[in-house]
Amino acid sequence: VKRYSSGMYVRLAFAVAAHLEPEILIVDEVLAVGDAQFQNKCLGKMQDVAHSGRTVLFVSHNMAAVRQLCTSALYMQQGELLLAGSAEQVVSRYLNAAPTESSRLGQVSRHGISLVDMALQDAEGGRTQAPVFDRDYRLRLVFRSQQPMSDVAVVVRIYDALGTLISSICSPEEGIDPFPIQSMVEVTFNLDRLQLLPGQYRASVFMFRANDPETYLEAEDVFSFEVNPAIVHQAMAAYRPDHGIVRVSQSGTLVTY
């Protein structure tokens, strides 16, 4: 296994632990690696273990998975137990107690990179954390580097309130070739006709270099925003959170016979 990636190590460890039939199965962030098929296998195996009368201790930042798998939960912070109760109660407390984004901005990675500003801007350039569904916005990020660096790419991952990954924005895929940082650099993504349905979201920012597996910046949950409802075209009512997560169609045709 010396040529295994970190993800393959986790897969192997889970497979071994799950098939030894332990009385207590401890699973720490195993859903953070692997493809959808592997994650579904993990969820299914953990449910089988729990239904057989054994105990599963599931550690995760994915609140949707916690709600799906667990009947009770513990909320811990810096080694201290803050709350013990039902999964629903603890998840709600965790989501409402997230640190403010301002405390995360400016933190310098071990590679000397920091995200010094992040904002959603409307068509007039004003900052907002309450965008309106189906309107145009720009996502602006400003980075600082303590030393020159070449061939940099930026990834923004957007999650819903339960921690489900909704979308990823990658600078090369948005027409921004890998670029150098001398001191500071500004990256802007166009979010035309924002199609995230009304609800709360949060974003994490990462920086990589071309053909390099190292992560040069990890700014988790550094920005949050809430999409507000809007009536589109001649709709009878505004889009609501219970309509789903993303609007996938923007037009249609009608043919009568």
Side-chain angles (χ1 to χ4, degrees):
V1 298
K2 68 179 182 179
R3 292 185 175 87
Y4 274 18
S5 66
S6 58
M8 288 301 298
Y9 271 117
V10 173
R11 291 187 186 202
L12 178 60
F14 178 82
V16 172
H19 287 85
L20 287 176
E21 298 188 354
E23 288 299 313
I24 301 175
L25 176 61
I26 302 175
V27 182
D28 187 355
E29 294 289 9
V30 71
L31 298 182
V33 299
D35 53 24
Q37 182 180 14
F38 171 71
Q39 294 179 12
N40 288 334
K41 283 185 178 181
C42 288
L43 290 171
K45 185 62 179 180
M46 286 186 281
Q47 288 175 330
D48 291 343
V49 171
H51 292 159
S52 69
R54 290 175 283 157
T55 299
V56 177
L57 178 57
F58 180 58
V59 184
S60 180
H61 290 91
N62 186 325
M63 295 301 102
V66 171
R67 278 178 161 159
Q68 177 181 349
L69 283 173
C70 304
T71 54
S72 59
L74 305 175
Y75 175 23
M76 301 187 70
Q77 188 175 70
Q78 296 182 347
E80 295 185 5
L81 178 63
L82 298 185
L83 179 66
S86 68
E88 190 68 30
Q89 178 187 15
V90 173
V91 165
S92 296
R93 169 74 176 276
Y94 172 79
L95 293 175
N96 291 328
T100 59
E101 293 82 13
S102 60
S103 66
R104 301 178 187 270
L105 287 174
Q107 295 184 0
V108 181
S109 73
R110 62 190 182 92
H111 297 284
I113 305 291
S114 60
L115 175 66
V116 296
D117 191 30
M118 182 173 182
L120 271 174
Q121 296 179 323
D122 58 24
E124 287 74 38
R127 300 166 70 102
T128 180
Q129 286 185 269
V132 178
F133 176 73
D134 204 48
R135 295 187 184 176
D136 295 341
Y137 295 92
R138 295 184 303 170
L139 182 60
R140 176 178 175 270
L141 305 98
V142 179
F143 300 91
R144 178 185 289 121
S145 178
Q146 295 180 350
Q147 58 187 6
M149 188 173 296
S150 62
D151 296 328
V152 168
V154 173
V155 175
V156 179
R157 293 175 184 157
I158 299 175
Y159 302 84
D160 67 7
L162 296 179
T164 302
L165 178 62
I166 303 303
S167 185
S168 295
I169 306 172
C170 308
S171 57
E173 297 170 7
E174 303 305 322
I176 303 174
D177 293 332
F179 55 90
I181 299 182
Q182 298 298 327
S183 175
M184 296 186 68
V185 68
E186 177 180 315
V187 178
T188 300
F189 298 110
N190 296 319
L191 309 181
D192 298 333
R193 300 191 65 183
L194 183 64
Q195 296 299 291
L196 293 174
L197 266 63
Q200 294 184 340
Y201 301 88
R202 63 182 190 270
S204 298
V205 179
F206 304 87
M207 183 173 285
F208 303 93
R209 297 181 68 195
N211 302 314
D212 186 345
E214 183 74 20
T215 303
Y216 286 82
L217 173 70
E218 296 182 62
E220 298 275 3
D221 296 340
V222 75
F223 185 73
S224 65
F225 59 97
E226 182 172 0
V227 178
N228 287 273
I231 294 177
V232 178
H233 299 307
Q234 303 301 317
M236 294 178 288
Y239 276 90
R240 304 186 308 271
D242 58 1
H243 284 151
I245 297 174
V246 178
R247 179 173 176 240
V248 296
S249 176
Q250 297 189 24
S251 64
T253 59
L254 173 66
V255 177
T256 60
Y257 297 93

